[in-house]
């Protein structure tokens, strides 16, 4: 798909979606969307970020890079931060998600009809589910390409030293790994 066509389709879809806010009922739609989207999407995306930083990309590696960028050997309180990210903060976010969900079922927001509340839920969860989907299954980035890219990065971290022998026929390649900031 050409970039111009894709950009045009996205602009037309965004324009059509925004027209509902320009009607007489636009303030009600804005109120509904403004209630549901930040309520759940931010909690869920925050929990996904914590999972990515603390579990998928190990927290120890993240803390060592953070210490490297700050110019210190180690971060004070790094172990505490690691366990806060891994367990306490993630647990609190999950508890907030469930508590807010239950509260929303017990005491629905405003005096909106059921179909409008359903639209609020859909508008809140569809983008979040798409983010989760593309996080798990990155489009255009199948596993064999990811493995090739990872291997390419590892090779780039290697420092090559090429030596020619006396006879000029053989080339010896001596590889030394460039120290990583984690070590």
């Amino acid at each position: 798909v050409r970039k111009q066509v894709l950009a045009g389709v996205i602009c037309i879809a965004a324009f059509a979606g925004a027209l509902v806010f320009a009607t007489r009922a636009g303030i009600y739609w804005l109120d509904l969307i403004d209630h549901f989207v930040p309520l759940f999407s931010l909690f869920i995306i925050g929990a996904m970020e914590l999972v990515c930083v603390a579990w998928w990309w190990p927290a120890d590696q993240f803390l060592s890079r953070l210490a490297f960028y700050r110019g210190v050997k180690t971060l004070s309180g790094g172990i505490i931060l690691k366990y806060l990210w891994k367990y306490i903060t993630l647990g609190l976010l999950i508890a907030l998600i469930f508590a807010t969900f239950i509260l929303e079922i017990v005491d629905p927001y405003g005096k909106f009809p059921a179909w409008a509340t359903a639209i609020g839920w859909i508008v809140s969860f569809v983008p979040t589910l798409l983010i989760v989907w593309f996080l798990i299954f990155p489009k255009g980035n199948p596993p064999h390409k990811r493995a090739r890219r990872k291997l390419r990065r590892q090779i780039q971290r290697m420092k090559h030293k090429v030596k020619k022998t006396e006879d000029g026929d053989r080339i010896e390649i001596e590889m030394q790994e460039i120290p990583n900031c984690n070590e």
Side-chain angles (χ1 to χ4, degrees):
V1 178
R2 297 180 68 182
K3 288 182 182 179
Q4 294 87 359
V5 173
L6 182 63
V9 168
I10 290 172
C11 286
I12 290 171
F15 175 75
L19 277 179
V20 71
F21 298 110
T23 63
R24 281 187 175 178
I27 192 70
Y28 298 109
W29 285 109
L30 180 65
D31 187 31
L32 185 71
I33 301 301
D34 189 45
H35 172 72
F36 280 101
V37 171
L39 191 64
F40 292 101
S41 300
L42 293 179
F43 284 147
I44 292 171
I45 290 171
M48 288 187 315
E49 286 178 0
L50 276 172
V51 167
C52 289
V53 167
W55 296 93
W56 285 354
W57 189 32
D60 294 329
Q61 186 177 4
F62 181 74
L63 287 170
S64 67
R65 285 188 185 245
L66 192 59
F68 175 76
Y69 292 138
R70 292 193 63 209
V72 294
K73 189 114 177 137
T74 57
L75 285 176
S76 59
I79 294 174
I80 295 170
L81 279 176
K82 180 174 96 171
Y83 288 107
L84 279 174
W85 287 337
K86 277 188 160 186
Y87 304 108
I88 306 297
T89 309
L90 185 61
L92 286 173
L93 271 176
I94 291 172
L96 276 172
I97 290 168
F98 284 117
T100 307
F101 184 74
I102 290 169
L103 183 67
E104 200 60 41
I105 290 174
V106 172
D107 185 25
Y109 177 71
K111 297 190 185 324
F112 291 106
W115 61 268
T117 305
I119 289 175
W121 284 102
I122 291 169
V123 168
S124 177
F125 279 113
V126 168
T128 307
L129 292 176
L130 285 174
I131 291 171
V132 172
W133 177 264
F134 285 114
L135 179 69
I136 296 171
F137 305 107
K139 186 174 166 72
N141 198 5
H144 70 278
K145 285 186 179 178
R146 279 182 286 188
R148 189 180 311 144
R149 194 172 300 132
K150 184 177 179 182
L151 180 64
R152 195 175 302 137
R153 270 183 284 180
Q154 287 175 347
I155 290 173
Q156 287 173 352
R157 278 192 300 164
M158 306 295 267
K159 187 177 180 181
H160 301 283
K161 288 187 177 178
V162 179
K163 294 181 181 176
K164 286 190 178 181
T165 57
E166 303 260 336
D167 57 356
D169 292 338
R170 253 180 50 215
I171 297 177
E172 294 178 12
I173 300 176
E174 182 183 323
M175 297 179 82
Q176 295 176 336
E177 186 167 347
I178 295 173
N180 199 350
C181 64
N182 303 343
E183 299 168 356

